[in-house]
């Protein structure tokens, strides 16, 4: 049976068909739906782990126990999982293990544009790269076979355009695999120096064997055209762009295995074409390899190292025709914004109003940096707000301590904020950390997490009590506020920022987009009372716009949160829960 | 057949994912190859969003670039204009006539170009603008703007209405099917 499937859904289907028994992941665009789709198969145990390191180690444990396993993450998640990754390369696996990683060229939803292929090279772990959803399913299955044949975990790399594009995929039956026998084997699984020293040569031998496999594997294939004046070496989504531009008119070496790269196959291809062109998004990984073989090729001299490619990128670089079109119009931009009713809005308004320095973090609340609130000073990576505010305050001292805060979400705090807070407690930091607890992992599309009392499948779970947790870490000053209540929020934050010692404020209100959240009736502006002072416009709510100089509230967007009405000095905004 | 390309554009949160899945499904029923490329994550939060749907005998790239789209279906006026350069010169735009102010307009840093659709017709593009929100409300929910516009698109596209109904049955949860079918027909049959 054929189905239109998202790349991520196809990866999940591949895991299912390969008999995978466990999938552990932390959500991250564009990888999230791999796990959300995998959980629909009752044969696979699926979970949201607190972070990617935990997910990878859980998957490794499952492999050790003899069950095929996988973990999934976005490219920056692999940074977090890099620690187990590099040593899993040494231990190898028991049952097959696949590490799914999704890159985000063009940074649709990411803080950087790193190229995961470098991790495959650095950790000496093989990496497969499908070109569309159909291959994503197929490659997920092949990855398990390679994993078991060569005794290694296998990286399955996708990118946004594969993860979030659908094509028709043929569904096949699941192949059950009995649990492999677990045998205690310290030389293989205890990576203390004496054993690791013996394992490193094994890793190098494995790479040689995998290179030999890459020469003949159907994952890598040459498609010769009649015209051999140009030979394109490419992989992943770029292959689709090449086919879009040239169809079958040019010769192509399509690489489905991007680490290790073949040697003889590339040399043969180079011999049979007049000019070699390497087309790859992001870094010149294949190009560097080709040049290292002593071959001459075009690559980043023609194509950008930055951003996402398309058929147009390729057509323009290689002089193929592009379509005629009207000029692009100059229009006001539409950047992403905090939603109407977002509980973060009241908090960031308060921080902005008091001109605090805000060390931010990764999540929807990164949008606190946007106009008009403009409230955030730094966003680096998951958890960096908590560790960063500490360093900031230690260096600048009292002058900073009483006007600087960290802001981190509930899920991000569980991911990697706790260790930063331990540092604050342990090293006596006069820092204030605000945990914005909206009871969900928001930006990635509503995933449960260890604090909201639900597992990935909705089953009840232990809800980690943030107040008790923070207190147990030695922070005595912990207060909870409702960010819809501007007065309370401001008073409490001022008090805790003024306090000499570590403190935590939990700004608690569920995400307004949650289906379980009941919205109050929409607010409206009483035009007789409104003085057009535009105070209500300062919060940057997308439901409020000006019509002929007067604010109007869009009832289809307004959730009745009442934050704007608290700013109106003339009582002109009414409705919501107060009526 | 040559590949036909659709762009579904709008403001994050307006339901472009459901619209693209409906279109993808109905095209899949033709037996041709279909590719759909969606936007997730940061841009879904009230930002400008675009989804590509392509079908034909062989579809390679899932995305659409300048001058390649046969149809643009836009849930908002300004967004239709933002992607108009991706339309073929003889392509068709189907657009919701409602305006949603983007943040630069809300904070007074930019003005909403109210005449933006005229700018497109001046370029000789074919533009069909309807008040999809009123029709969606008439169908029973303001959330059905997406399906009203898919109904409108169906007018320009030689495919039996029964196929669309079958696709709605496939991609829409049962309790929302009737309201969506009504919204679809209101968009399809609307006459000024």
């Amino acid at each position: 049976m054929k189905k239109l499937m998202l790349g991520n859904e196809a990866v999940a289907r591949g895991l299912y068909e390969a008999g995978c028994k466990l999938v552990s992941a932390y959500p991250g665009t564009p990888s999230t739906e791999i796990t959300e789709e995998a959980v629909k198969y009752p044969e696979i145990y699926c979970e949201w782990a607190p972070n990617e390191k935990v997910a990878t180690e859980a998957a490794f444990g499952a492999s050790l126990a003899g069950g095929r396993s996988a973990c999934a993450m976005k490219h920056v998640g692999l940074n977090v999982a890099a620690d187990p990754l590099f040593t899993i390369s040494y231990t190898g696996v028991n049952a097959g293990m696949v590490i799914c990683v999704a890159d985000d060229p063009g940074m649709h939803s990411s803080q950087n544009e790193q190229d995961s292929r470098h991790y495959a090279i650095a950790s000496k772990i093989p990496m497969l790269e499908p070109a569309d959803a159909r291959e994503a399913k197929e490659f997920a299955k092949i990855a398990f076979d390679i994993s078991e044949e060569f005794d290694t975990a296998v990286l399955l790399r996708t990118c946004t355009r594969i993860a979030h594009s659908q094509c028709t995929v043929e569904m096949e039956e699941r192949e059950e695999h009995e649990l492999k026998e677990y045998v205690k084997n310290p030389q293989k699984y205890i990576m203390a120096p004496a054993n690791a020293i013996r394992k490193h040569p094994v890793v190098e031998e494995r790479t040689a064997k995998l290179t030999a496999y890459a020469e003949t594997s159907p994952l890598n294939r040459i498609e010769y055209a009649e015209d051999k004046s140009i030979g394109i070496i490419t992989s992943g989504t770029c292959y689709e762009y090449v086919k879009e531009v040239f169809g079958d008119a040019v010769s192509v070496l399509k690489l489905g295995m991007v680490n290790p790269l073949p040697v003889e196959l590339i040399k043969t291809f180079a011999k049979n074409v007049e000019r070699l062109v390497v087309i790859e998004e992001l870094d010149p990984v294949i190009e560097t390899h080709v040049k290292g073989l002593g071959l001459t090729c075009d690559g980043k001299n023609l194509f950008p190292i930055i951003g996402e490619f398309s058929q147009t990128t390729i057509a323009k670089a290689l002089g193929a025709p592009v379509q005629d079109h009207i000029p692009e119009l100059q229009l006001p931009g539409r950047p992403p914004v905090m939603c109407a009713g977002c509980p973060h809005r009241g908090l960031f308004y308060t921080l902005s109003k008091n001109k605090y320095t805000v060390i931010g973090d990764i999540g929807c609340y990164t949008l606190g940096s946007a106009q008009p609130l403009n409230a955030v000073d730094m966003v680096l990576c998951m958890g960096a707000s908590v560790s960063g505010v500490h360093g900031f305050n230690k260096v600048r001292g009292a002058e900073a301590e009483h006007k600087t805060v960290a802001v981190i979400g509930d899920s991000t705090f569980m991911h990697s904020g706790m260790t930063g807070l331990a540092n604050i407690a342990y090293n006596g930091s006069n820092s204030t950390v605000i945990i914005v607890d909206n009871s969900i992992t928001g930006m990635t599309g509503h995933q449960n997490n260890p604090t909201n009392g639900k597992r990935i499948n909705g089953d009840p779970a232990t809800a980690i009590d943030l107040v008790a947790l923070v207190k147990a870490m030695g922070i005595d000053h912990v207060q909870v506020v409702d960010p819809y209540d501007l007065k309370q929020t401001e008073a409490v934050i001022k008090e805790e920022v003024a306090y000499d010692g570590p403190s935590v404020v939990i700004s608690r209100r569920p995400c307004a987009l949650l289906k379980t959240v009941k919205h109050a009736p929409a607010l409206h502006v009483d035009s007789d009372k409104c003085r057009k002072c535009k105070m209500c416009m300062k919060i940057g709510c997308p439901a409020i716009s000006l019509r002929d100089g007067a604010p109007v509230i869009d009832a289809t967007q307004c959730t009745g949160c009442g934050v704007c009405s608290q700013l109106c000095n003339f009582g002109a905004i009414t409705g919501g829960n107060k009526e | 057949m040559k590949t036909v390309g659709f762009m579904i554009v709008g403001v994050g949160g307006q339901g472009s994912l459901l619209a693209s899945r409906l279109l993808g499904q109905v095209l899949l029923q033709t037996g041709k190859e279909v590719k759909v490329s969606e936007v997730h994550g940061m841009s879904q939060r009230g930002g400008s969003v675009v989804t590509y749907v392509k079908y034909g005998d062989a579809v390679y790239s899932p995305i659409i670039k300048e001058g390649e789209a046969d149809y643009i279906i836009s849930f908002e006026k300004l967004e239709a204009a933002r992607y108009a350069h991706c339309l073929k010169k003889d392509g068709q735009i189907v657009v919701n006539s409602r305006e949603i102010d983007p943040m630069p307009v809300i904070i007074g840093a930019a003005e909403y170009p109210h005449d933006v659709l005229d700018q497109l017709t001046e370029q000789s593009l074919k533009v069909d603008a309807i008040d999809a929100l009123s029709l969606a409300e008439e169908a029973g929910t303001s959330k059905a703007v997406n399906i009203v516009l898919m109904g409108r698109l169906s007018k320009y596209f030689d495919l039996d209405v029964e196929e669309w109904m079958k696709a709605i049955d496939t991609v829409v949860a049962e309790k929302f099917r009737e309201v969506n079918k009504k919204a679809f027909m209101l968009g399809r049959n609307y006459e000024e």
Side-chain angles (χ1 to χ4, degrees):
Chain A
M1 190 190 144
K2 272 190 177 176
K3 195 186 167 209
L4 200 55
M5 264 190 205
L6 210 56
N8 283 340
E9 192 180 348
V11 170
R13 180 75 198 181
L15 300 177
Y16 165 77
E17 289 176 10
C20 182
K21 289 195 162 51
L22 175 143
V23 176
S24 187
Y26 184 80
T29 313
S31 71
T32 311
E33 300 80 9
I34 293 174
T35 317
E36 290 185 322
E37 291 296 331
V39 75
K40 294 178 183 168
Y41 300 105
E43 294 88 343
I44 309 177
Y45 166 78
C46 288
E47 65 182 18
W48 291 129
N51 69 31
E52 296 85 352
K53 174 173 147 68
V54 174
T56 304
E57 291 157 350
F60 178 69
S63 158
L64 185 69
R68 286 189 162 191
S69 69
C71 51
M73 60 205 70
K74 66 184 294 175
H75 58 335
V76 287
L78 194 53
N79 299 337
V80 180
D83 202 358
L85 178 80
F86 279 72
T87 307
I88 288 171
S89 176
Y90 279 38
T91 59
V93 298
N94 184 15
M97 174 174 172
V98 176
I99 301 168
C100 308
V101 58
D103 285 11
D104 190 16
M107 294 178 276
H108 296 275
S109 198
S110 300
Q111 67 268 39
N112 77 29
E113 205 170 24
Q114 68 186 50
D115 186 328
S116 291
R117 292 177 298 172
H118 295 298
Y119 271 111
I121 296 167
S123 65
K124 304 174 197 243
I125 283 183
M127 177 180 261
L128 309 188
E129 184 178 29
D132 63 12
R134 187 181 51 74
E135 280 192 354
K137 193 200 83 161
E138 198 181 310
F139 284 19
K141 294 166 76 172
I142 295 171
F144 278 111
D145 295 336
I146 294 174
S147 173
E148 289 174 359
E149 185 180 342
F150 293 92
D151 190 13
T152 176
V154 176
L155 285 154
L156 181 67
R157 179 201 192 216
T158 57
C159 65
T160 303
R161 283 302 164 199
I162 290 163
H164 288 165
S165 292
Q166 301 175 49
C167 73
T168 46
V169 178
E170 182 78 43
M171 292 194 279
E172 295 160 282
E173 293 300 311
R174 174 174 168 97
E175 202 178 291
E176 278 301 343
H177 290 258
E178 289 298 308
L179 280 186
K180 290 198 168 190
E181 191 188 0
Y182 169 68
V183 182
K184 187 167 178 164
N185 185 348
Q187 285 77 27
K188 179 165 162 59
Y189 295 121
I190 299 178
M191 281 306 99
N195 294 332
I197 285 166
R198 282 190 215 104
K199 281 301 262 184
H200 189 181
V202 175
V203 171
E204 299 304 329
E205 282 161 27
R206 182 181 70 207
T207 298
K209 284 181 196 156
L210 281 161
T211 305
Y213 171 84
E215 306 290 2
T216 55
S217 164
L219 289 166
N220 300 328
R221 66 167 189 263
I222 295 176
E223 298 170 2
Y224 283 119
E226 262 178 54
D227 179 4
K228 296 190 177 60
S229 62
I230 181 167
I232 292 171
I233 305 181
T234 190
S235 72
T237 185
C238 289
Y239 169 77
E240 302 291 340
Y241 303 146
V242 167
K243 296 296 277 186
E244 178 92 12
V245 175
F246 297 109
D248 298 329
V250 294
S251 300
V252 178
L253 167 53
K254 180 191 180 296
L255 298 168
M257 185 164 179
V258 290
N259 188 60
L261 288 163
V263 173
E264 296 309 321
L265 188 68
I266 290 172
K267 284 183 179 168
T268 305
F269 184 64
K271 218 178 285 170
N272 290 324
V273 296
E274 287 169 38
R275 172 191 173 204
L276 268 190
V277 181
V278 178
I279 303 181
E280 57 190 323
E281 275 176 336
L282 302 179
D283 295 340
V285 172
I286 301 170
E287 181 183 348
T288 304
H289 173 77
V290 169
K291 287 181 171 164
L293 300 177
L295 299 167
T296 305
C297 67
D298 287 308
K300 292 298 169 187
N301 54 326
L302 299 178
F303 294 93
I305 201 165
I306 295 165
E308 187 176 43
F309 286 12
S310 69
Q311 54 270 31
T312 312
T313 319
I314 287 159
K316 282 182 180 162
L318 295 178
V322 290
Q323 301 297 318
D324 201 17
H325 60 90
I326 67 158
E328 204 168 334
L329 301 179
Q330 292 304 308
L331 301 167
R334 190 184 299 274
V337 294
M338 282 189 273
C339 307
C342 177
H344 304 324
R345 180 172 285 105
L347 174 78
F348 282 109
Y349 171 74
T350 304
L351 300 178
S352 173
K353 181 185 167 197
N354 287 284
K355 298 193 168 56
Y356 288 136
T357 301
V358 176
I359 312 297
D361 223 299
I362 306 281
C364 283
Y365 47 92
T366 303
L367 293 169
S369 62
Q371 295 285 6
L373 292 172
N374 207 8
V376 179
D377 291 71
M378 179 203 97
V379 175
L380 185 65
C381 62
M382 298 286 284
S385 61
V386 187
S387 346
V389 75
H390 165 77
F392 193 90
N393 287 343
K394 280 288 178 192
V395 166
R396 294 196 80 85
E399 168 239 338
E401 285 162 5
H402 298 305
K403 58 171 208 179
T404 307
V405 297
V407 175
I408 185 168
D410 48 338
S411 185
T412 308
F413 183 73
M414 294 313 295
H415 180 285
S416 46
M418 284 190 291
T419 41
L421 194 64
N423 195 38
I424 283 178
Y426 172 49
N427 288 307
S429 192
N430 281 345
S431 295
T432 301
V433 174
I434 300 172
I435 302 175
V436 286
D437 177 11
N438 63 351
S439 306
I440 203 77
T441 312
M443 183 60 89
T444 44
H446 287 175
Q447 289 75 32
N448 293 321
N449 70 50
T451 69
N452 80 343
K454 286 188 203 121
R455 297 215 177 91
I456 187 171
N457 56 4
D459 280 356
T462 297
I464 292 175
D465 179 339
L466 284 171
V467 173
L469 173 68
V470 167
K471 285 193 170 166
M473 291 178 83
I475 313 284
D476 295 328
H477 270 239
V478 189
Q479 296 201 59
V480 179
V481 299
D482 176 1
Y484 277 2
D485 183 341
L486 294 180
K487 269 196 187 126
Q488 180 209 28
T489 300
E490 183 170 20
V492 167
I493 290 174
K494 277 184 161 171
E495 184 187 329
E496 294 304 345
V497 171
Y499 170 66
D500 274 326
S503 60
V504 168
V505 177
I506 297 172
S507 174
R508 178 169 286 160
R509 169 67 75 165
C511 171
L513 298 184
L514 282 172
K515 288 203 172 74
T516 48
V517 170
K518 293 263 177 294
H519 293 165
L523 301 166
H524 52 266
V525 181
D526 182 339
S527 54
D528 293 337
K529 288 185 185 166
C530 176
R531 307 272 183 92
K532 302 183 181 178
C533 70
K534 299 184 191 166
M535 262 311 280
C536 56
M537 304 298 292
K538 291 195 173 206
I539 50 172
C541 177
I544 313 176
S545 55
L546 287 180
R547 291 283 175 264
D548 302 323
V552 182
I553 297 175
D554 174 2
T556 64
Q557 285 197 68
C558 177
T559 67
C561 77
V563 169
C564 59
S565 65
Q566 294 170 59
L567 295 176
C568 182
N569 293 318
F570 309 104
I573 303 177
T574 54
N577 273 339
K578 288 185 180 156
E579 268 188 0
Chain B
M1 65 170 278
K2 280 180 81 174
T3 297
V4 179
F6 305 79
M7 289 174 75
I8 301 172
V9 304
V11 179
Q14 280 190 305
S16 62
L17 287 188
L18 178 63
S20 68
R21 282 179 188 184
L22 174 61
L23 182 56
Q25 177 58 36
V26 80
L27 297 175
L28 191 65
Q29 290 165 199
T30 66
K32 300 285 179 189
E33 190 174 344
V34 180
K35 283 196 176 175
V36 180
S37 192
E38 307 170 345
V39 172
H40 298 228
M42 178 71 96
S43 37
Q44 278 183 290
R45 298 283 170 262
S48 170
V49 291
V50 53
T51 301
Y52 310 102
V53 180
K54 292 166 90 169
Y55 93 118
D57 290 328
V59 183
Y60 293 107
S61 169
I63 58 178
I64 294 170
K65 298 299 284 186
E66 295 88 341
E68 295 181 345
D70 294 276
Y71 302 91
I72 290 179
I73 304 98
S74 180
F75 299 175
E76 202 274 345
K77 251 168 74 173
L78 184 59
E79 297 312 307
R82 193 180 311 287
Y83 297 99
H85 64 286
C86 295
L87 197 67
K88 285 180 180 165
K89 290 228 158 157
D90 60 349
Q92 175 72 46
I93 295 176
V94 172
V95 55
N96 179 13
S97 58
R98 291 287 177 123
E99 295 177 1
I100 299 175
D101 285 358
M103 198 49 68
V105 171
I106 289 177
I107 63 170
E111 277 201 36
Y112 194 106
H114 301 291
D115 68 340
V116 76
L117 294 181
D118 299 335
Q119 291 181 42
L120 300 182
T121 44
E122 277 163 25
Q123 299 270 1
S124 315
L125 296 181
K126 290 181 275 181
V127 180
D128 180 5
I130 61 167
D131 182 352
L133 180 63
S134 296
L135 294 174
E137 282 168 346
E138 191 184 328
T141 170
S142 61
K143 292 198 173 79
V145 163
N146 52 358
I147 305 300
V148 168
L149 288 164
M150 296 316 289
R152 195 65 180 173
L153 168 73
S154 73
K155 250 185 52 158
Y156 294 96
F157 198 65
D158 186 20
L159 206 63
D160 199 54
V161 74
E162 286 312 310
E163 288 297 317
W164 286 94
M165 293 300 127
K166 209 171 115 189
I168 290 176
D169 286 337
T170 308
V171 300
V172 178
E174 199 178 344
K175 62 176 171 173
F176 301 119
R177 268 178 212 158
E178 281 320 303
V179 63
N180 277 304
K181 284 182 179 174
K182 194 172 170 196
F184 183 92
M185 293 314 294
L186 283 170
R188 184 180 168 95
N189 297 330
Y190 176 75
E191 279 177 45
E192 291 178 53

